[in-house]
C-alpha cells in the first residue's frame, strides 16, 4: 500500500524534474517554454495521482506509468518517435534501478512488506535521498552519452569523469551502512549534506573537463581556419590579378567600340562580329575548375587541388557551384576544406592517394560528395593537437549541416569511403 504523503509528493516532483531536465537537454522542443512546462505539469499529475486513486493496485499503477511517461516526450518534443521512446525507456529503467537500490540497501523484508510510507521519517528521507541521487547520476550519464558530440567528450574523458562519482558513491555506501544501525535524524542530515557536496563537486568537475575539451576543439578549429585563411589570401591574390586584367580590358573598351564602329561603317560586318566576340570573351570570368561559377570556391579548390597534385594525389573534380548559393563563401570554404583534409588523412592511412570531389545545386540545396579509399584497419596515429580526439573535421561538418538544415552522411562500400554533405541555400539560384 502506498500513501501520498508530502515527502512522497516532493520526492516524486524532484524525480520528475530530473527526468524533464534530461529530456530538455537531449531532445528538441516542439513548443515554447511555457507550453512545454505546462505539458510537464500535466504529465507529472498524471504520474503522481494514480497512487492516491489506486492505493492497492500495484500492477495497475506500474502499467499506468509505462503509458504516461513515454507519452510526455513524444508529445512535447519533435525528435523521431524512437529517440523519444528511448529516452522514456531509459528514464523508466533508471527509476527502477534507483528504487531497487535504495530500498534494498536501507529496508528489511519486513519493512518492504509494510511499505515505505509507514516507516519512520528519517528512514523515508534516507531512502528518497539515495533514490534521487542515484537516479540523477544515471540520467546525467545518459545525457552525457546522448550529447557526446555536443560536449566533445572522448572515451578517456568519460572514464575520468565517471570514476569520480563512482568513487564517491563507494565511500558514501559505508556511511549508509552506518545509518542502518541508528537512523537518527542527525546522521541522515549529515548524509544528505555529503550527497549534496558530492553532486556539486561532480558538476564542477564535469564543467572543467568539458571546458578543456571545448578549448582543445576551439584550438583545432582556429588552426584549421588559420590554414584556410592563408590559402584564401593566395586565392584572393589570384582573383585580384584576374580582376585587374578585366579592369584593363574595360579601360580599353572605348578603343574597342571605336574599332568596331569603324569596321561597321566600312561594311566589314564579319570582321566586326569576330572582334566583338573576342572582346566579350576577354571580359568573361574563366573558372579554373571549368564549371564552377563561384570565384571564391573555384579559387580555393583550384589552389588546394593543385597543391595535392604536387604531393602525388589523383584528384577528380566535378564542381558546379553557381555564383550565388545563399550560403556564405566562408562556410562553403570550410565545408570543402574539411572534406579534403579528412580525405587526405584517410588516403595516408589507406596507402592510396585518390580523391574524387563533386558538388552541385539542386532545388535550393548544395550537394557535396567526396570519395576516397577507406583504410583497411583502424590505425593509431599521432593527433594533430595533443589531448584532442581525431575526427574534429566531421564535428565541424555536422555543425554546418545543422546550421543550414541539411545532413551529413558517410558510408563505406567496396573499399571506398563516401561522405555526402547537404546544405540548404537559397530557394532559387
Amino acid at each position: 500500500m502506498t500513501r501520498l504523503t508530502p515527502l512522497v509528493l516532493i520526492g516524486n516532483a524532484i524525480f520528475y524534474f530530473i527526468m524533464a531536465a534530461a529530456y530538455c537537454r537531449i531532445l528538441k522542443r516542439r513548443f515554447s517554454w511555457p507550453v512545454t512546462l505546462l505539458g510537464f505539469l500535466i504529465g507529472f499529475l498524471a504520474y503522481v495521482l494514480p497512487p492516491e486513486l489506486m492505493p492497492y493496485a500495484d500492477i495497475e499503477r506500474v502499467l499506468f506509468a509505462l503509458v504516461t511517461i513515454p507519452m510526455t516526450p513524444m508529445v512535447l518534443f519533435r525528435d523521431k518517435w524512437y529517440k523519444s521512446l528511448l529516452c522514456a525507456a531509459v528514464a523508466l529503467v533508471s527509476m527502477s534501478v534507483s528504487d531497487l537500490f535504495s530500498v534494498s540497501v536501507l529496508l528489511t523484508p519486513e519493512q518492504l512488506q509494510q511499505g515505505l510510507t509507514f516507516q519512520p521519517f528519517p528512514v523515508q528521507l534516507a531512502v528518497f535521498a539515495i533514490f534521487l541521487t542515484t537516479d540523477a547520476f544515471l540520467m546525467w550519464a545518459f545525457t552525457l552519452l546522448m550529447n557526446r558530440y555536443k560536449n566533445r567528450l572522448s572515451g578517456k574523458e568519460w572514464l575520468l569523469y565517471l570514476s569520480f562519482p563512482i568513487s564517491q558513491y563507494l565511500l558514501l555506501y559505508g556511511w549508509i551502512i552506518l545509518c542502518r544501525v541508528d537512523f537518527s535524524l542527525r546522521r541522515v542530515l549529515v548524509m544528505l549534506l555529503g550527497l549534496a557536496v558530492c553532486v556539486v563537486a561532480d558538476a564542477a568537475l564535469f564543467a572543467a573537463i568539458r571546458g578543456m575539451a571545448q578549448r582543445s576543439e576551439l584550438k583545432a578549429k582556429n588552426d584549421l581556419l588559420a590554414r584556410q585563411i592563408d590559402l584564401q589570401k593566395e586565392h584572393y591574390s589570384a582573383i585580384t590579378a584576374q580582376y585587374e586584367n578585366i579592369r584593363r580590358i574595360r579601360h580599353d573598351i572605348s578603343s574597342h567600340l571605336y574599332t568596331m564602329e569603324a569596321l561597321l561603317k566600312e561594311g566589314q560586318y564579319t570582321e566586326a562580329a569576330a572582334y566583338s566576340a573576342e572582346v566579350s570573351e576577354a571580359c568573361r570570368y574563366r573558372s579554373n575548375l571549368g564549371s564552377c561559377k563561384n570565384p571564391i570556391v573555384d579559387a580555393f579548390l583550384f589552389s588546394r587541388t593543385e597543391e595535392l597534385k604536387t604531393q602525388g594525389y589523383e584528384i577528380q573534380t566535378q564542381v558546379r557551384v553557381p555564383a550565388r548559393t545563399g550560403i556564405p563563401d566562408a562556410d562553403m570554404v570550410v565545408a570543402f576544406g574539411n572534406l579534403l583534409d579528412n580525405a587526405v588523412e584517410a588516403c595516408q592511412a589507406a596507402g592510396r592517394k585518390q580523391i574524387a570531389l563533386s558538388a552541385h545545386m539542386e532545388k535550393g540545396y548544395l550537394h557535396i560528395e567526396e570519395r576516397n579509399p577507406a583504410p583497411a584497419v583502424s590505425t593509431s596515429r599521432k593527433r594533430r593537437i595533443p589531448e584532442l580526439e581525431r575526427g574534429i573535421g566531421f564535428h565541424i561538418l555536422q555543425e554546418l549541416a545543422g546550421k543550414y538544415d541539411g545532413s551529413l552522411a558517410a558510408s563505406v562500400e567496396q573499399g571506398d569511403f563516401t561522405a555526402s554533405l547537404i546544405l540548404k541555400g537559397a530557394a532559387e539560384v
Side-chain angles (χ1 to χ4, degrees):
M1 178 177 177
T2 302
R3 296 184 302 173
L4 190 61
T5 63
L7 181 60
V8 171
L9 185 61
I10 295 173
N12 280 277
I14 297 175
F15 158 74
Y16 209 86
F17 172 79
I18 294 172
M19 183 173 60
Y23 288 161
C24 293
R25 292 288 297 174
I26 298 172
L27 305 174
K28 299 177 182 178
R29 287 184 293 110
R30 188 189 303 272
F31 309 106
S32 61
W33 274 114
V35 176
T36 303
L37 294 177
L38 179 60
F40 277 127
L41 178 59
I42 296 174
F44 171 69
L45 295 176
Y47 165 75
V48 78
L49 287 181
E52 184 70 16
L53 302 176
M54 299 178 292
Y56 296 97
D58 294 334
I59 297 179
E60 288 79 0
R61 287 189 290 110
V62 171
L63 294 177
F64 195 81
L66 290 176
V67 174
T68 57
I69 290 182
M71 286 298 297
T72 303
M74 296 179 69
V75 172
L76 297 180
F77 297 90
R78 55 186 176 89
D79 295 74
K80 298 293 186 180
W81 66 269
Y82 47 81
K83 185 176 181 180
S84 300
L85 192 60
L86 172 64
C87 293
V90 171
L92 287 170
V93 171
S94 175
M95 177 184 67
S96 301
V97 171
S98 303
D99 192 17
L100 290 174
F101 175 70
S102 60
V103 298
S104 62
V105 169
L106 296 178
L107 300 183
T108 63
E110 293 76 12
Q111 290 175 319
L112 287 174
Q113 291 179 355
Q114 294 173 359
L116 175 63
T117 55
F118 293 92
Q119 305 307 314
F121 180 77
V123 176
Q124 296 184 44
L125 192 61
V127 170
F128 269 104
I130 297 174
F131 166 75
L132 293 175
T133 52
T134 304
D135 182 72
F137 172 74
L138 294 176
M139 293 303 295
W140 180 254
F142 176 68
T143 303
L144 291 183
L145 177 64
M146 297 298 290
N147 293 337
R148 58 190 181 278
Y149 293 118
K150 179 180 178 181
N151 292 317
R152 302 293 189 265
L153 294 179
S154 66
K156 293 181 180 179
E157 290 163 346
W158 262 80
L159 292 176
L160 173 64
Y161 171 69
L162 293 179
S163 63
F164 189 60
I166 290 175
S167 63
Q168 291 175 334
Y169 268 80
L170 290 176
L171 292 175
L172 288 172
Y173 183 76
W175 185 259
I176 294 172
I177 297 300
L178 182 62
C179 283
R180 291 188 63 179
V181 179
D182 180 14
F183 267 109
S184 65
L185 184 60
R186 180 180 177 183
R187 287 189 175 186
V188 173
L189 291 177
V190 172
M191 184 189 70
L192 295 179
L193 179 61
L195 288 174
V197 172
C198 290
V199 170
V200 173
D202 292 343
L205 177 63
F206 170 74
I209 293 177
R210 184 177 63 175
M212 290 188 295
Q214 290 176 341
R215 284 192 294 271
S216 297
E217 178 201 359
L218 182 60
K219 185 178 185 301
K221 287 184 178 180
N222 289 339
D223 289 348
L224 290 173
L225 291 176
R227 180 183 176 188
Q228 292 168 358
I229 289 174
D230 292 337
L231 291 174
Q232 288 183 50
K233 289 180 180 179
E234 299 177 5
H235 309 328
Y236 285 131
S237 298
I239 293 172
T240 302
Q242 190 177 40
Y243 284 163
E244 287 295 330
N245 184 46
I246 294 175
R247 288 182 60 188
R248 287 194 295 270
I249 294 177
R250 289 175 177 174
H251 183 72
D252 296 334
I253 284 294
S254 59
S255 299
H256 298 318
L257 291 176
Y258 177 80
T259 301
M260 286 187 288
E261 183 180 2
L263 292 173
L264 291 173
K265 285 182 179 180
E266 294 177 4
Q268 301 180 18
Y269 301 110
T270 304
E271 289 79 0
Y275 188 77
S276 175
E278 181 181 352
V279 173
S280 299
E281 181 65 21
C283 295
R284 186 178 304 163
Y285 168 75
R286 293 188 179 90
S287 170
N288 293 315
L289 299 178
S291 57
C292 182
K293 297 181 181 180
N294 186 293
I296 305 300
V297 173
D298 179 72
F300 172 78
L301 289 179
F302 178 75
S303 177
R304 186 75 173 104
T305 54
E306 288 298 312
E307 176 188 354
L308 293 176
K309 287 178 181 178
T310 60
Q311 299 175 10
Y313 287 85
E314 297 181 14
I315 309 294
Q316 297 180 357
T317 57
Q318 290 184 339
V319 180
R320 300 188 302 275
V321 178
R324 291 180 296 177
T325 62
I327 303 171
D329 293 335
D331 285 340
M332 286 194 292
V333 168
V334 169
F336 283 108
N338 278 282
L339 285 171
L340 288 176
D341 288 343
N342 293 337
V344 168
E345 292 187 7
C347 289
Q348 292 174 353
R352 289 192 296 127
K353 297 183 176 182
Q354 298 175 344
I355 299 176
L357 181 67
S358 63
H360 67 279
M361 289 292 295
E362 182 179 346
K363 297 181 180 180
Y365 284 84
L366 175 62
H367 295 252
I368 306 175
E369 184 174 285
E370 183 276 325
R371 187 175 69 257
N372 57 262
V377 294
S378 177
T379 57
S380 177
R381 299 178 53 194
K382 185 177 180 181
R383 306 179 206 171
R384 288 173 290 181
I385 296 177
E387 301 178 359
L388 181 64
E389 288 295 315
R390 299 188 62 82
I392 186 65
F394 272 96
H395 291 319
I396 297 175
L397 293 173
Q398 286 174 337
E399 291 179 355
L400 282 177
K403 179 179 179 181
Y404 293 100
D405 296 330
S407 63
L408 174 65
S411 62
V412 178
E413 185 176 354
Q414 297 181 351
D416 287 335
F417 174 85
T418 302
S420 177
L421 178 65
I422 300 177
L423 306 176
K424 183 178 181 180
E428 296 181 0
V429 295

